[in-house]
Amino acid sequence: MEKKNIDWGNLGFTYMRTDQRFVANWKDGVWDDGAMTADADLVINECAGVLQYSQSCFEGLKAYTTEDGRIVTFRPDLNGQRMEDSCRRLEMPVYPKEKFVEAVIRTVKANESYVPPYGSGATLYIRPFMYASGPVIGVKPADEFQFRIFTTPVGPYFKGGVKPITIRISDFDRAAPNGTGHIKAGLNYAMSLYAIVDAHKQGFDENMYLDAATHTKVEETGGANFIFVTGDNKVVTPKSGSILPSITRRSLMYVAKEYLGLETEEREIYKEELKDFAECGLCGTAAVISPVGKIVDHGTEICLPAGMTDMGPVTRKLYDTLTGIQMGRIEAPAGWIQEIR
């Protein structure tokens, strides 16, 4: 299929409407078969559950053009599983992960002309989401829901290359113990908006949130998990029941151990340990890894040995290996790559 006439090399990480999106509706206790539509607009009741009580969740993944010309997505089954988990926690009807993957494939195929070419630095971002469409005025789950998937071509998260960022330890709490931090609920991200805007005003790129119970243990940022590298090249990531289980983080930990032969560990990480790490990065779908050069704890600067110039050596190997797998330059573990065509 002929590609759209888009300046792929100059795309930003912003929304661009594409031709088709997938829509399925839940009513009277069942999902319909779903269909593709060109209509990007929603018409919902003023009393819809998503507007009154924020009953919604979402996912994010990408489609790539590989070096040999295939169009693929990366581990969509895990996104489907995570959405199932989110739905159960939010009293929303589960959209089965098998149907989720089928819908992702169908949506990408319908927008194939928007999948950026290999080497452009751009990808097709895929956004599945579900919301309560039925009216509800009492505090209770809605009785009608809509599941949708749209796509948008995006450029690299960091224009001009990946440069280490400066983050601050935040006084705000991202998620409560036994709350919803472990699922991808829209309300979690709404809660983080004030904190990130404030961080930007203060000259920081992101927030580091600590555990809400004790404010002593590292959790995550508003939209990404952390990975750390010790002085002896062990890759360590925080363990907590209130952080989102990142698919990118899980994949990076596997790459560290099985591809790079590094020791890995998932454990509680205390704020006092930050000064002892050699490298730090934020990991997620958008940028894969964002290197951190400096952490500021209420005026006290913790400067990572990797510095503010480039990724640290271990972080760079992790980034290059995972993106190599995604783009088809490196052989992927079984089941990681879902081919669209």
Side-chain angles (χ1 to χ4, degrees):
M1 180 180 291
E2 186 177 350
K3 298 292 184 184
K4 296 289 184 178
N5 184 22
I6 295 172
D7 185 1
W8 305 107
N10 287 306
L11 281 175
F13 202 86
T14 56
Y15 172 76
M16 177 188 294
R17 178 172 171 168
T18 55
D19 294 339
Q20 296 286 321
R21 64 271 309 132
F22 179 83
V23 182
N25 292 288
W26 192 84
K27 187 176 182 179
D28 298 327
V30 295
W31 286 105
D32 64 21
D33 292 335
M36 303 303 299
T37 178
D39 190 355
D41 297 324
L42 306 180
V43 178
I44 56 177
N45 188 280
E46 63 187 351
C47 202
V50 64
L51 300 178
Q52 303 307 316
Y53 305 118
S54 300
Q55 202 177 8
S56 68
C57 62
F58 70 97
E59 279 297 324
L61 62 160
K62 291 179 176 180
Y64 314 83
T65 301
T66 62
E67 191 170 22
D68 59 3
R70 295 175 298 138
I71 294 177
V72 304
T73 61
F74 183 70
R75 310 192 78 176
D77 56 315
L78 297 187
N79 292 95
Q81 180 61 61
R82 192 166 63 183
M83 178 164 264
E84 284 194 11
D85 297 338
S86 296
C87 289
R88 291 189 181 97
R89 179 63 178 81
L90 295 172
E91 287 296 330
M92 301 171 72
V94 166
Y95 198 79
K97 61 183 177 184
E98 295 79 12
K99 293 183 68 175
F100 175 100
V101 173
E102 291 173 4
V104 166
I105 293 171
R106 189 173 173 182
T107 308
V108 174
K109 282 184 176 179
N111 295 287
E112 186 178 329
S113 59
Y114 288 94
V115 181
Y118 175 80
S120 64
T123 56
L124 186 72
Y125 191 82
I126 306 163
R127 170 53 58 84
F129 66 103
M130 189 188 301
Y131 68 95
S133 54
V136 54
I137 196 66
V139 182
K140 60 183 179 181
D143 58 5
E144 294 181 14
F145 295 82
Q146 187 169 94
F147 170 71
R148 295 176 72 100
I149 303 177
F150 69 82
T151 60
T152 182
V154 296
Y157 199 74
F158 296 103
K159 278 290 187 183
V162 179
K163 298 295 182 184
I165 61 176
T166 299
I167 65 176
R168 70 171 182 183
I169 294 179
S170 179
D171 290 326
F172 296 103
D173 292 331
R174 177 193 158 270
N178 303 312
T180 58
H182 63 295
I183 62 169
K184 208 164 177 66
L187 58 91
N188 293 345
Y189 296 81
M191 290 171 62
S192 73
L193 294 178
Y194 180 88
I196 189 60
V197 170
D198 183 69
H200 290 165
K201 287 179 180 178
Q202 303 302 323
F204 301 101
D205 297 295
E206 252 295 1
N207 290 294
M208 171 182 282
Y209 293 106
L210 304 178
D211 71 294
T214 70
H215 285 190
T216 62
K217 292 175 282 191
V218 175
E219 294 228 318
E220 61 173 302
T221 71
N225 283 185
F226 281 106
I227 59 167
F228 297 93
V229 181
T230 66
D232 57 358
N233 293 341
K234 178 190 288 187
V235 181
V236 185
T237 189
K239 183 177 182 179
S240 168
S242 56
I243 65 176
L244 187 72
S246 165
I247 295 164
T248 303
R249 182 189 68 167
R250 189 185 318 187
S251 303
L252 286 168
M253 295 296 278
Y254 182 92
V255 163
K257 183 177 181 180
E258 302 298 335
Y259 280 69
L260 302 180
L262 301 174
E263 187 178 353
T264 62
E265 185 178 18
E266 181 181 4
R267 62 170 174 82
E268 292 182 335
I269 296 175
Y270 286 85
K271 183 179 73 169
E272 285 71 21
E273 298 180 66
L274 293 174
K275 65 184 185 302
D276 300 323
F277 289 113
E279 301 175 39
C280 172
L282 316 183
C283 53
T285 299
V288 182
I289 306 178
S290 310
V292 175
K294 185 188 298 183
I295 303 168
V296 180
D297 181 9
H298 300 86
T300 300
E301 294 187 350
I302 303 169
C303 298
L304 280 299
M308 293 293 295
T309 304
D310 199 358
M311 284 186 173
V314 174
T315 305
R316 170 60 67 183
K317 288 179 182 177
L318 288 168
Y319 176 86
D320 289 345
T321 305
L322 188 59
T323 54
I325 289 170
Q326 292 172 334
M327 293 296 178
R329 297 188 298 269
I330 298 173
E331 185 175 355
W336 279 30
I337 301 298
Q338 172 68 59
E339 189 166 345
I340 305 299
R341 65 164 175 81

